[in-house]
Amino acid sequence: MIELRGITKSYGTGEAMVRALDGVDFSVDRGDFIAVMGPSGSGKSTTMNIIGCLDTPSSGQYLLMGQEVGGLDRDQRALLRRNFLGFIFQGFNLLPRTTALENVELPLVYQGVPQDERRERALAALGKVGLADRAGHKPSELSGGQQQRVAIARAIVTRPQLILADEPTGNLDSARSREIMLLLQQLNRDEGMTVLMVTHEPDMAAYATRVATFVDGRLQSDIRQDAH
Amino acid sequence: MLIETFRLALLTVARNKLRSFLTVLGIVIGVSSVIAMVTVGQGSTQRVQSDVASLGSNLLMVRPGQPGRGPGGGQNDAPPLKAADVEALLTEIPDLVAATPAATRTLNAVYGDVTHAVTVTGTDNAYFPVRGWTLSEGRVFTEQELRAGTPVCVIGTSTSMALIGQGNPVGITMRIGKITCEVVGLLTKRDASTFGSDDNDTVIMPLKAFQRRIAGNSNVSSISVTFSDAVTAEEVTPKIQALMRERRGLTDDQDDNFNVFDMKQISSMLTGITGTLTGLLSAVAAISLLVGGIGIMNIMLVSVTERTREIGIRMAIGATEGQVLMQFLVEAVVLSLIGGFIGVIVGLGLGWAGSSALNIAFVPDWRITGAAFVFSAVVGVVFGYFPARRAARLDPIEALRHQ
């Protein structure tokens, strides 16, 4: 589904040039639940941003659903994100002063889904994360774990090909983290969703079916494992 | 999608009520001042025009004094007009339909325990048609009264109201200055007033009565003449000037010591002044709209900075540059339209209040009102574009990292 071939990414020029990615070959298959690990500065976030079409590689080839992403402009990449990708962030990144339901509806607004259908699908997504009864609450009225579950509902409401989760449990205690990981695992197993998760916690990586480890801008290891 | 964008913009604007209000204040002031100024300007123009129309058509005024100083200019050092000038004008210039003298002075009218300052005019019966007056009660003067200078008078409705209140004043006797005068007629009330003073507040008496009993001389302050439709003011005026020069014994090297006014010219002059003032004030108002626009730009830039993270989230979720641009542009336009709307209401209110205070007609100009409203939207687009573009050009990764 996703193919990275010889991806490099460098910032700055000349002496000050920093090479964040140094020739990464990586692929994601449908149904994978991949944990991307590595120390900070290893290139895992950069890889995530490139796969998420938020950033472009300096060189190399990135195929998303067979489509070359490298040559696309900002708007074309926005459309890829809108239609194929769902994002979950460490800091939840819900719109403040906006209800959970409206937050979940937002991607559908950009897809141009009519209001009635939007509402219905957003409520269904909230149901999947167990927050149907919190639809009218604003983020400030929800706990961290609940906020992250709203964010997950927002990520899955468009039925994306791939969910990108950037340290989704980074701001949560271990009990909430476990809840989130079980939810992601369930979405992966029951809904067949492909998940790519950046984390630096081995406990969280244990829920994944594949663990990719980055060191110094290179993919060091890529191991399939039996999840929890 | 666009409706959604408008709804979102309204929500955002409503969320920061005080800030939104302060932001649109510049637009409110700009729009309301344009509308108020144009409204009052048009009202006063209309007023000037109706004032002149009420003076009657084909009207010229002859006054003593140097020409070119406006009405009343330099009267004192010029020899006064006399009643004989009226007769001479009528007999020598066949184009004239009527000529009527007027000698005026402001005096106290006293009736019972009421004292009321009023303009007293001594004239003849031609004064009524020339100045466009009709009577609602009583009669004009008789030949006998005019010849003998009998102290009788015709009064205006405002004078009557001040002295006796509601009711018919014909038959009462009042004091005018030092003389006693019987009221024989009441003028029909009219809405116009001559350049600010109330036309209906007036006392008219035979010229001879005024000259002998009040002024103590045989002077006439002005002569109003009307001419036939067959000729124009430009044709008649030189004839009057020639005759008056001859009658006043002016030699060729002497300047006129009287002047002939065409009331229509004064009207167009005043209308021109009003127009210039309206234009000038509107320019000031337009500058305030500009300042209002800058205010909107400023607050939109702040808003973009504050909501950088939100922009990042929207971009990650799949908002295109165009959609982010639109969101902020619509927000700026909604702000300025709200300002424009409040401005229209405040402006019409101020225009109405100003018109009432100046005692002129309330003449809202819907084209200007519409234009001011549309212009406020344009201000929103123009000044909202730069902040909106800045939002749209944000790098989603940077924006998401923004605290």
Side-chain angles (χ1 to χ4, degrees):
Chain A
M1 187 170 74
I2 281 174
E3 280 285 327
L4 301 185
R5 288 182 202 143
I7 295 287
T8 68
K9 179 72 187 179
S10 20
Y11 300 99
T13 49
E15 293 278 303
M17 191 168 86
V18 176
R19 192 158 264 230
L21 289 182
D22 193 8
V24 172
D25 298 301
F26 188 62
S27 67
V28 178
D29 299 320
R30 195 174 297 281
D32 276 349
F33 183 176
I34 306 172
V36 178
M37 300 198 65
S40 55
S42 62
K44 60 184 194 302
S45 288
T46 306
T47 307
M48 178 84 149
N49 286 336
I50 288 173
I51 291 174
C53 300
L54 291 166
D55 207 347
T56 48
S58 301
S59 69
Q61 203 182 20
Y62 169 25
L63 296 170
L64 170 63
M65 318 288 298
Q67 192 179 0
E68 173 67 57
V69 178
L72 300 181
D73 66 20
R74 283 173 57 121
D75 278 355
Q76 287 168 320
R77 282 185 277 127
L79 292 179
L80 288 181
R81 292 196 294 272
R82 180 190 298 177
N83 294 319
F84 299 125
L85 303 174
F87 287 87
I88 302 167
F89 305 94
Q90 178 176 3
F92 320 138
N93 277 343
L94 299 176
L95 294 189
R97 298 182 294 264
T98 308
T99 63
L101 185 67
E102 285 169 330
N103 264 293
V104 176
E105 277 185 43
L106 197 59
L108 301 176
V109 171
Y110 286 115
Q111 284 189 340
V113 174
Q115 179 151 15
D116 291 347
E117 186 189 338
R118 221 158 66 198
R119 189 127 300 187
E120 201 176 300
R121 282 171 62 180
L123 278 171
L126 279 171
K128 277 184 195 159
V129 300
L131 283 178
D133 57 338
R134 294 283 191 276
H137 287 57
K138 291 176 180 164
S140 55
E141 299 158 357
L142 297 170
S143 71
Q146 287 172 330
Q147 287 188 52
Q148 193 60 302
R149 281 194 277 158
V150 172
I152 292 172
R154 184 179 64 187
I156 64 172
V157 74
T158 57
R159 299 179 196 120
Q161 301 290 329
L162 175 66
I163 294 174
L164 293 159
D166 189 359
E167 308 233 15
T169 59
N171 285 8
L172 299 173
D173 63 33
S174 56
R176 291 320 130 220
S177 297
R178 198 178 130 72
E179 271 178 35
I180 295 299
M181 291 318 298
L182 286 173
L183 182 56
L184 287 176
Q185 199 170 50
Q186 181 210 330
L187 289 169
N188 173 247
R189 281 178 182 165
D190 302 349
E191 309 275 333
M193 289 196 187
T194 312
V195 180
L196 183 70
M197 173 180 73
V198 168
T199 182
H200 58 259
E201 296 170 81
D203 288 357
M204 301 305 136
Y207 290 88
T209 58
R210 244 176 96 185
V211 179
T213 308
F214 281 75
V215 174
D216 292 338
R218 289 170 182 275
L219 181 60
Q220 194 191 47
S221 64
D222 188 354
I223 303 160
R224 290 197 177 272
Q225 65 176 24
D226 288 328
H228 266 325
Chain B
M1 188 70 208
L2 196 63
I3 296 169
E4 196 72 29
T5 311
F6 265 98
R7 198 183 66 94
L8 181 70
L10 275 173
L11 279 176
T12 312
V13 167
R15 203 170 277 153
N16 291 305
K17 283 192 189 65
L18 179 63
R19 180 203 276 190
S20 301
F21 174 72
L22 292 174
T23 305
V24 302
L25 208 53
I27 300 281
V28 170
I29 292 170
V31 169
S32 62
S33 39
V34 169
I35 291 174
M37 281 162 191
V38 169
T39 305
V40 172
Q42 297 220 328
S44 50
T45 304
Q46 202 180 70
R47 162 68 163 284
V48 167
Q49 282 161 351
S50 73
D51 282 357
V52 169
S54 77
L55 288 173
S57 55
N58 298 358
L59 180 69
L60 297 175
M61 293 257 284
V62 183
R63 286 171 169 272
Q66 307 297 323
R69 294 218 210 152
Q75 259 173 30
N76 295 337
D77 47 344
L81 298 167
K82 298 289 177 186
D85 293 323
V86 178
E87 280 140 47
L89 283 166
L90 277 174
T91 46
E92 301 290 326
I93 305 174
D95 297 330
L96 299 188
V97 174
T100 179
T104 54
R105 190 170 285 190
T106 301
L107 292 165
N108 278 334
V110 183
Y111 180 73
D113 52 3
V114 186
T115 301
H116 176 69
V118 64
T119 308
V120 180
T121 303
T123 185
D124 58 20
N125 281 336
Y127 184 84
F128 300 104
V130 165
R131 292 302 188 92
W133 282 116
T134 55
L135 266 61
S136 61
E137 298 286 348
R139 57 173 177 83
V140 297
F141 311 121
T142 63
E143 280 303 313
Q144 164 64 27
E145 284 163 351
L146 288 168
R147 239 181 295 129
T150 317
V152 290
C153 58
V154 172
I155 65 175
T157 49
S158 297
T159 313
S160 175
M161 183 60 82
L163 292 174
I164 69 159
Q166 291 286 358
N168 184 355
V170 173
I172 68 162
T173 301
M174 62 179 181
R175 287 181 59 78
I176 302 282
K178 292 191 172 67
I179 67 163
T180 305
C181 186
E182 186 198 345
V183 177
V184 295
L186 178 68
L187 297 170
T188 307
K189 182 179 170 62
R190 69 183 183 201
D191 281 336
S193 56
T194 309
F195 312 130
S197 64
D198 181 2
D199 263 12
N200 295 304
D201 198 3
T202 186
V203 170
I204 300 164
M205 62 170 61
L207 179 64
K208 276 190 177 153
F210 182 92
Q211 288 174 332
R212 280 187 205 149
R213 295 165 194 264
I214 289 172
N217 61 37
S218 60
N219 297 347
V220 166
S221 7
S222 70
I223 298 171
S224 305
V225 302
T226 53
F227 51 89
S228 81
D229 290 334
V231 291
T232 63
E234 288 71 28
E235 289 164 355
V236 176
T237 305
K239 294 184 188 172
I240 296 173
Q241 281 168 335
L243 178 67
M244 291 308 292
R245 284 185 69 85
E246 187 192 322
R247 287 185 59 77
R248 291 164 84 83
L250 295 174
T251 56
D252 286 350
D253 57 339
Q254 282 177 300
D255 288 333
D256 289 354
N257 56 7
F258 62 93
N259 48 55
V260 181
F261 290 113
D262 182 352
M263 296 314 284
K264 288 238 161 52
Q265 270 173 16
I266 293 177
S267 144
S268 62
M269 188 180 79
L270 285 175
T271 306
I273 292 171
T274 314
T276 311
L277 272 180
T278 305
L280 199 71
L281 293 174
S282 298
V284 172
I287 290 170
S288 110
L289 263 183
L290 191 77
V291 174
I294 293 169
I296 285 187
M297 176 147 83
N298 186 27
I299 215 67
M300 289 308 296
L301 282 171
V302 171
S303 180
V304 167
T305 307
E306 275 181 356
R307 285 151 70 194
T308 298
R309 200 182 178 84
E310 175 192 329
I311 295 162
I313 296 169
R314 289 178 183 275
M315 284 175 161
I317 278 170
T320 56
E321 276 187 44
Q323 285 168 325
V324 173
L325 182 100
M326 210 57 189
Q327 182 190 339
F328 283 89
L329 203 54
V330 165
E331 210 171 298
V333 171
V334 163
L335 269 177
S336 60
L337 276 180
I338 290 173
F341 183 72
I342 299 174
V344 165
I345 293 182
V346 171
L348 288 176
L350 285 176
W352 179 81
S355 303
S356 312
L358 295 171
N359 197 21
I360 56 176
F362 174 54
V363 192
D365 185 325
W366 300 115
R367 273 182 321 158
I368 297 288
T369 305
F373 190 60
V374 169
F375 192 67
S376 69
V378 172
V379 164
V381 172
V382 169
F383 289 94
Y385 182 76
F386 175 67
R389 205 189 58 161
R390 172 177 278 199
R393 293 277 174 88
L394 284 174
D395 174 12
I397 299 171
E398 290 294 323
L400 280 168
R401 245 178 243 153
H402 192 269
Q403 287 310 306

